[in-house]
Each structure stands twice: as structure tokens, then as C-alpha cells.
mmCIF file of all heavy atoms in Angstrom:
data_model
loop_
_atom_site.group_PDB
_atom_site.id
_atom_site.type_symbol
_atom_site.label_atom_id
_atom_site.label_comp_id
_atom_site.label_asym_id
_atom_site.label_seq_id
_atom_site.Cartn_x
_atom_site.Cartn_y
_atom_site.Cartn_z
ATOM 1 N N LEU F 1 75.762 165.151 121.442
ATOM 2 C CA LEU F 1 76.521 166.329 121.358
ATOM 3 C C LEU F 1 76.855 166.661 119.908
ATOM 4 O O LEU F 1 76.762 167.913 119.552
ATOM 5 C CB LEU F 1 77.865 166.077 122.028
ATOM 6 C CG LEU F 1 77.909 165.915 123.598
ATOM 7 C CD1 LEU F 1 79.149 165.512 124.096
ATOM 8 C CD2 LEU F 1 77.564 167.358 124.198
ATOM 9 N N THR F 2 76.954 165.672 118.985
ATOM 10 C CA THR F 2 77.086 165.998 117.668
ATOM 11 C C THR F 2 75.827 166.747 117.056
ATOM 12 O O THR F 2 75.917 167.537 116.309
ATOM 13 C CB THR F 2 77.387 164.761 116.854
ATOM 14 O OG1 THR F 2 78.606 164.222 117.445
ATOM 15 C CG2 THR F 2 77.546 165.010 115.297
ATOM 16 N N LEU F 3 74.624 166.179 117.518
ATOM 17 C CA LEU F 3 73.389 166.767 117.045
ATOM 18 C C LEU F 3 73.234 168.170 117.619
ATOM 19 O O LEU F 3 72.689 169.095 116.986
ATOM 20 C CB LEU F 3 72.173 165.920 117.472
ATOM 21 C CG LEU F 3 72.017 164.636 116.673
ATOM 22 C CD1 LEU F 3 70.903 163.779 117.180
ATOM 23 C CD2 LEU F 3 71.970 164.792 115.264
ATOM 24 N N PHE F 4 73.754 168.391 118.751
ATOM 25 C CA PHE F 4 73.546 169.802 119.608
ATOM 26 C C PHE F 4 74.418 170.783 118.945
ATOM 27 O O PHE F 4 74.144 171.926 118.877
ATOM 28 C CB PHE F 4 73.857 169.463 121.098
ATOM 29 C CG PHE F 4 73.842 170.720 121.845
ATOM 30 C CD1 PHE F 4 72.606 171.312 122.379
ATOM 31 C CD2 PHE F 4 74.976 171.495 122.117
ATOM 32 C CE1 PHE F 4 72.515 172.451 123.063
ATOM 33 C CE2 PHE F 4 74.991 172.669 122.969
ATOM 34 C CZ PHE F 4 73.698 173.183 123.332
ATOM 35 N N ALA F 5 75.623 170.479 118.485
ATOM 36 C CA ALA F 5 76.768 171.355 118.089
ATOM 37 C C ALA F 5 76.159 172.214 116.908
ATOM 38 O O ALA F 5 75.773 171.739 115.918
ATOM 39 C CB ALA F 5 78.003 170.626 117.612
ATOM 40 N N LYS F 6 76.427 173.527 117.038
ATOM 41 C CA LYS F 6 76.230 174.477 116.095
ATOM 42 C C LYS F 6 77.441 175.170 115.513
ATOM 43 O O LYS F 6 77.617 175.482 114.333
ATOM 44 C CB LYS F 6 75.160 175.609 116.571
ATOM 45 C CG LYS F 6 73.775 174.904 117.031
ATOM 46 C CD LYS F 6 72.975 174.412 115.933
ATOM 47 C CE LYS F 6 71.742 173.971 116.425
ATOM 48 N NZ LYS F 6 71.504 172.513 116.496
ATOM 49 N N ALA F 7 78.258 175.555 116.475
ATOM 50 C CA ALA F 7 79.456 176.347 116.031
ATOM 51 C C ALA F 7 80.513 175.357 115.447
ATOM 52 O O ALA F 7 80.659 174.192 115.903
ATOM 53 C CB ALA F 7 80.065 176.895 117.414
ATOM 54 N N GLN F 8 81.251 175.891 114.385
ATOM 55 C CA GLN F 8 82.074 175.033 113.594
ATOM 56 C C GLN F 8 83.249 174.543 114.402
ATOM 57 O O GLN F 8 83.625 173.400 114.301
ATOM 58 C CB GLN F 8 82.591 175.828 112.429
ATOM 59 C CG GLN F 8 83.502 175.045 111.420
ATOM 60 C CD GLN F 8 82.568 173.963 110.797
ATOM 61 O OE1 GLN F 8 81.464 174.121 110.397
ATOM 62 N NE2 GLN F 8 83.155 172.699 110.852
ATOM 63 N N ASP F 9 83.765 175.307 115.351
ATOM 64 C CA ASP F 9 84.903 174.714 116.041
ATOM 65 C C ASP F 9 84.493 173.688 117.028
ATOM 66 O O ASP F 9 85.233 172.793 117.261
ATOM 67 C CB ASP F 9 85.541 175.991 116.833
ATOM 68 C CG ASP F 9 84.649 176.614 118.046
ATOM 69 O OD1 ASP F 9 83.384 176.517 117.870
ATOM 70 O OD2 ASP F 9 85.133 177.164 118.973
ATOM 71 N N LEU F 10 83.270 173.689 117.528
ATOM 72 C CA LEU F 10 82.777 172.605 118.357
ATOM 73 C C LEU F 10 82.579 171.371 117.423
ATOM 74 O O LEU F 10 82.845 170.335 117.823
ATOM 75 C CB LEU F 10 81.431 173.068 118.993
ATOM 76 C CG LEU F 10 80.635 171.992 119.848
ATOM 77 C CD1 LEU F 10 81.624 171.432 120.997
ATOM 78 C CD2 LEU F 10 79.464 172.577 120.492
ATOM 79 N N LYS F 11 81.996 171.585 116.251
ATOM 80 C CA LYS F 11 81.849 170.407 115.362
ATOM 81 C C LYS F 11 83.182 169.757 114.968
ATOM 82 O O LYS F 11 83.237 168.571 115.040
ATOM 83 C CB LYS F 11 81.142 170.890 114.047
ATOM 84 C CG LYS F 11 79.668 171.272 114.349
ATOM 85 C CD LYS F 11 79.047 171.717 112.967
ATOM 86 C CE LYS F 11 77.589 172.081 113.072
ATOM 87 N NZ LYS F 11 77.016 172.589 111.830
ATOM 88 N N ASP F 12 84.059 170.580 114.751
ATOM 89 C CA ASP F 12 85.501 170.126 114.544
ATOM 90 C C ASP F 12 86.048 169.298 115.703
ATOM 91 O O ASP F 12 86.684 168.187 115.464
ATOM 92 C CB ASP F 12 86.439 171.270 114.138
ATOM 93 C CG ASP F 12 86.043 171.923 112.828
ATOM 94 O OD1 ASP F 12 85.347 171.369 112.028
ATOM 95 O OD2 ASP F 12 86.628 173.063 112.618
ATOM 96 N N ALA F 13 85.853 169.816 116.795
ATOM 97 C CA ALA F 13 86.309 169.046 118.114
ATOM 98 C C ALA F 13 85.602 167.775 118.258
ATOM 99 O O ALA F 13 86.195 166.706 118.606
ATOM 100 C CB ALA F 13 86.139 170.038 119.288
ATOM 101 N N LEU F 14 84.354 167.787 117.941
ATOM 102 C CA LEU F 14 83.529 166.554 118.083
ATOM 103 C C LEU F 14 83.864 165.512 116.950
ATOM 104 O O LEU F 14 83.923 164.301 117.349
ATOM 105 C CB LEU F 14 82.085 166.819 118.071
ATOM 106 C CG LEU F 14 81.456 167.398 119.289
ATOM 107 C CD1 LEU F 14 80.144 168.087 119.099
ATOM 108 C CD2 LEU F 14 81.414 166.462 120.435
ATOM 109 N N ARG F 15 84.246 165.964 115.813
ATOM 110 C CA ARG F 15 84.804 165.111 114.822
ATOM 111 C C ARG F 15 86.062 164.445 115.282
ATOM 112 O O ARG F 15 86.355 163.217 114.924
ATOM 113 C CB ARG F 15 84.940 165.799 113.396
ATOM 114 C CG ARG F 15 83.726 165.731 112.588
ATOM 115 C CD ARG F 15 84.002 166.138 111.203
ATOM 116 N NE ARG F 15 84.260 167.656 111.015
ATOM 117 C CZ ARG F 15 83.272 168.589 110.952
ATOM 118 N NH1 ARG F 15 82.014 168.252 111.026
ATOM 119 N NH2 ARG F 15 83.694 169.802 110.829
ATOM 120 N N MET F 16 86.924 165.203 115.877
ATOM 121 C CA MET F 16 88.190 164.751 116.386
ATOM 122 C C MET F 16 87.891 163.732 117.514
ATOM 123 O O MET F 16 88.528 162.622 117.608
ATOM 124 C CB MET F 16 89.062 165.748 116.861
ATOM 125 C CG MET F 16 90.304 165.282 117.535
ATOM 126 S SD MET F 16 91.460 164.601 116.333
ATOM 127 C CE MET F 16 91.977 165.989 115.517
ATOM 128 N N GLU F 17 86.942 163.990 118.495
ATOM 129 C CA GLU F 17 86.554 163.063 119.474
ATOM 130 C C GLU F 17 86.058 161.759 118.920
ATOM 131 O O GLU F 17 86.384 160.672 119.259
ATOM 132 C CB GLU F 17 85.514 163.673 120.325
ATOM 133 C CG GLU F 17 85.199 162.761 121.608
ATOM 134 C CD GLU F 17 84.369 163.417 122.599
ATOM 135 O OE1 GLU F 17 83.862 164.619 122.362
ATOM 136 O OE2 GLU F 17 84.163 162.813 123.725
ATOM 137 N N GLU F 18 85.221 161.897 117.806
ATOM 138 C CA GLU F 18 84.717 160.635 117.121
ATOM 139 C C GLU F 18 85.751 159.809 116.598
ATOM 140 O O GLU F 18 85.781 158.574 116.665
ATOM 141 C CB GLU F 18 83.721 161.024 115.970
ATOM 142 C CG GLU F 18 82.426 161.619 116.526
ATOM 143 C CD GLU F 18 81.506 162.047 115.394
ATOM 144 O OE1 GLU F 18 81.998 162.327 114.348
ATOM 145 O OE2 GLU F 18 80.361 162.110 115.685
ATOM 146 N N SER F 19 86.832 160.506 116.026
ATOM 147 C CA SER F 19 87.989 159.796 115.390
ATOM 148 C C SER F 19 88.717 159.014 116.455
ATOM 149 O O SER F 19 89.016 157.734 116.244
ATOM 150 C CB SER F 19 88.859 160.781 114.629
ATOM 151 O OG SER F 19 90.015 160.141 114.098
ATOM 152 N N ILE F 20 89.117 159.703 117.487
ATOM 153 C CA ILE F 20 89.789 159.068 118.568
ATOM 154 C C ILE F 20 88.914 157.966 119.210
ATOM 155 O O ILE F 20 89.519 156.924 119.565
ATOM 156 C CB ILE F 20 90.314 160.115 119.634
ATOM 157 C CG1 ILE F 20 91.191 161.133 119.048
ATOM 158 C CG2 ILE F 20 90.811 159.522 120.923
ATOM 159 C CD1 ILE F 20 91.445 162.372 119.937
ATOM 160 N N TRP F 21 87.665 158.159 119.351
ATOM 161 C CA TRP F 21 86.721 157.168 119.967
ATOM 162 C C TRP F 21 86.682 155.939 119.146
ATOM 163 O O TRP F 21 86.792 154.871 119.693
ATOM 164 C CB TRP F 21 85.401 157.841 120.198
ATOM 165 C CG TRP F 21 84.307 156.892 120.513
ATOM 166 C CD1 TRP F 21 83.131 156.641 119.759
ATOM 167 C CD2 TRP F 21 84.190 155.973 121.606
ATOM 168 N NE1 TRP F 21 82.350 155.722 120.479
ATOM 169 C CE2 TRP F 21 83.014 155.249 121.562
ATOM 170 C CE3 TRP F 21 85.123 155.620 122.634
ATOM 171 C CZ2 TRP F 21 82.676 154.217 122.387
ATOM 172 C CZ3 TRP F 21 84.766 154.587 123.574
ATOM 173 C CH2 TRP F 21 83.491 153.969 123.392
ATOM 174 N N ALA F 22 86.643 156.111 117.869
ATOM 175 C CA ALA F 22 86.645 154.886 117.040
ATOM 176 C C ALA F 22 87.720 154.016 117.141
ATOM 177 O O ALA F 22 87.607 152.788 117.202
ATOM 178 C CB ALA F 22 86.458 155.409 115.497
ATOM 179 N N LYS F 23 88.944 154.610 117.169
ATOM 180 C CA LYS F 23 90.157 153.820 117.401
ATOM 181 C C LYS F 23 90.243 153.255 118.812
ATOM 182 O O LYS F 23 90.516 152.047 119.010
ATOM 183 C CB LYS F 23 91.448 154.734 117.157
ATOM 184 C CG LYS F 23 91.679 155.133 115.776
ATOM 185 C CD LYS F 23 92.746 156.044 115.678
ATOM 186 C CE LYS F 23 92.767 156.910 114.425
ATOM 187 N NZ LYS F 23 93.719 157.954 114.434
ATOM 188 N N PHE F 24 89.832 153.988 119.773
ATOM 189 C CA PHE F 24 89.966 153.546 121.171
ATOM 190 C C PHE F 24 88.869 152.463 121.417
ATOM 191 O O PHE F 24 89.166 151.336 122.004
ATOM 192 C CB PHE F 24 89.532 154.749 122.100
ATOM 193 C CG PHE F 24 89.649 154.329 123.582
ATOM 194 C CD1 PHE F 24 90.766 154.012 124.138
ATOM 195 C CD2 PHE F 24 88.513 154.438 124.326
ATOM 196 C CE1 PHE F 24 90.835 153.725 125.594
ATOM 197 C CE2 PHE F 24 88.576 154.132 125.634
ATOM 198 C CZ PHE F 24 89.773 153.805 126.325
ATOM 199 N N ARG F 25 87.675 152.656 120.864
ATOM 200 C CA ARG F 25 86.590 151.625 121.054
ATOM 201 C C ARG F 25 86.980 150.332 120.488
ATOM 202 O O ARG F 25 86.733 149.238 121.107
ATOM 203 C CB ARG F 25 85.332 152.114 120.562
ATOM 204 C CG ARG F 25 84.147 151.224 120.732
ATOM 205 C CD ARG F 25 82.862 151.596 120.365
ATOM 206 N NE ARG F 25 82.737 151.675 118.810
ATOM 207 C CZ ARG F 25 81.771 152.089 118.273
ATOM 208 N NH1 ARG F 25 80.705 152.682 118.820
ATOM 209 N NH2 ARG F 25 81.772 152.097 116.960
ATOM 210 N N GLN F 26 87.674 150.322 119.294
ATOM 211 C CA GLN F 26 87.996 149.069 118.686
ATOM 212 C C GLN F 26 89.025 148.299 119.587
ATOM 213 O O GLN F 26 88.831 147.114 119.681
ATOM 214 C CB GLN F 26 88.749 149.410 117.321
ATOM 215 C CG GLN F 26 89.046 148.231 116.466
ATOM 216 C CD GLN F 26 89.534 148.714 115.123
ATOM 217 O OE1 GLN F 26 90.046 149.774 115.057
ATOM 218 N NE2 GLN F 26 89.315 147.801 114.149
ATOM 219 N N VAL F 27 89.857 148.901 120.264
ATOM 220 C CA VAL F 27 90.901 148.220 121.103
ATOM 221 C C VAL F 27 90.294 147.901 122.473
ATOM 222 O O VAL F 27 90.378 146.812 122.897
ATOM 223 C CB VAL F 27 92.182 149.049 121.268
ATOM 224 C CG1 VAL F 27 93.185 148.349 122.248
ATOM 225 C CG2 VAL F 27 92.816 149.306 119.862
ATOM 226 N N VAL F 28 89.643 148.870 123.078
ATOM 227 C CA VAL F 28 89.090 148.722 124.424
ATOM 228 C C VAL F 28 88.006 147.654 124.533
ATOM 229 O O VAL F 28 87.819 147.076 125.566
ATOM 230 C CB VAL F 28 88.746 150.073 125.130
ATOM 231 C CG1 VAL F 28 87.261 150.450 124.648
ATOM 232 C CG2 VAL F 28 88.784 150.054 126.595
ATOM 233 N N THR F 29 87.141 147.356 123.427
ATOM 234 C CA THR F 29 86.153 146.342 123.486
ATOM 235 C C THR F 29 86.725 145.085 123.028
ATOM 236 O O THR F 29 85.792 144.123 123.087
ATOM 237 C CB THR F 29 84.975 146.934 122.742
ATOM 238 O OG1 THR F 29 85.398 147.032 121.404
ATOM 239 C CG2 THR F 29 84.346 148.151 123.337
ATOM 240 N N ASP F 30 87.911 144.895 122.658
ATOM 241 C CA ASP F 30 88.485 143.688 122.274
ATOM 242 C C ASP F 30 88.950 142.840 123.504
ATOM 243 O O ASP F 30 88.908 143.464 124.607
ATOM 244 C CB ASP F 30 89.706 143.947 121.294
ATOM 245 C CG ASP F 30 90.033 142.782 120.427
ATOM 246 O OD1 ASP F 30 89.244 141.671 120.478
ATOM 247 O OD2 ASP F 30 90.935 142.799 119.676
ATOM 248 N N THR F 31 89.341 141.626 123.327
ATOM 249 C CA THR F 31 89.809 140.791 124.411
ATOM 250 C C THR F 31 91.002 141.548 124.940
ATOM 251 O O THR F 31 92.071 141.748 124.271
ATOM 252 C CB THR F 31 90.144 139.428 123.933
ATOM 253 O OG1 THR F 31 88.977 138.844 123.425
ATOM 254 C CG2 THR F 31 90.693 138.556 125.009
ATOM 255 N N PRO F 32 91.166 141.803 126.222
ATOM 256 C CA PRO F 32 92.378 142.487 126.820
ATOM 257 C C PRO F 32 93.585 141.753 126.457
ATOM 258 O O PRO F 32 93.721 140.513 126.641
ATOM 259 C CB PRO F 32 92.026 142.512 128.240
ATOM 260 C CG PRO F 32 90.559 142.528 128.282
ATOM 261 C CD PRO F 32 90.121 141.596 127.244
ATOM 262 N N ASP F 33 94.582 142.454 126.220
ATOM 263 C CA ASP F 33 95.961 141.954 125.957
ATOM 264 C C ASP F 33 96.931 142.860 126.647
ATOM 265 O O ASP F 33 96.864 144.129 126.474
ATOM 266 C CB ASP F 33 96.186 141.924 124.469
ATOM 267 C CG ASP F 33 97.570 141.568 124.009
ATOM 268 O OD1 ASP F 33 98.387 141.285 124.854
ATOM 269 O OD2 ASP F 33 97.759 141.537 122.844
#
């Protein structure tokens, strides 16, 4: 999707998704607590 995006608002939304994903992935792939 990041490679596909052309419009700036879409790129901005995908950057936000990447940021949320980075935090989420760090916790969700760790040993469950």
C-alpha cells in the first residue's frame, strides 16, 4: 500500500498506520502478558 500510494493524504494515513503498527507489533509478538 505504501508503494501504491500517490495522494499525500493517503501517504500521511499510511505513515500513521505504520507508526501504530510498529508499536502494536512490538507488543503483540512478545510473550503474552
Side-chain angles (χ1 to χ4, degrees):
L1 290 166
T2 301
L3 292 176
F4 177 82
K6 302 291 183 253
Q8 190 59 49
D9 63 335
L10 178 57
K11 289 179 182 182
D12 292 343
L14 285 163
R15 271 195 287 282
M16 178 64 75
E17 186 171 8
E18 285 174 345
S19 173
I20 294 168
W21 168 235
K23 292 176 198 169
F24 182 69
R25 184 173 71 184
Q26 188 173 25
V27 177
V28 83
T29 57
D30 202 4
T31 303
D33 177 357

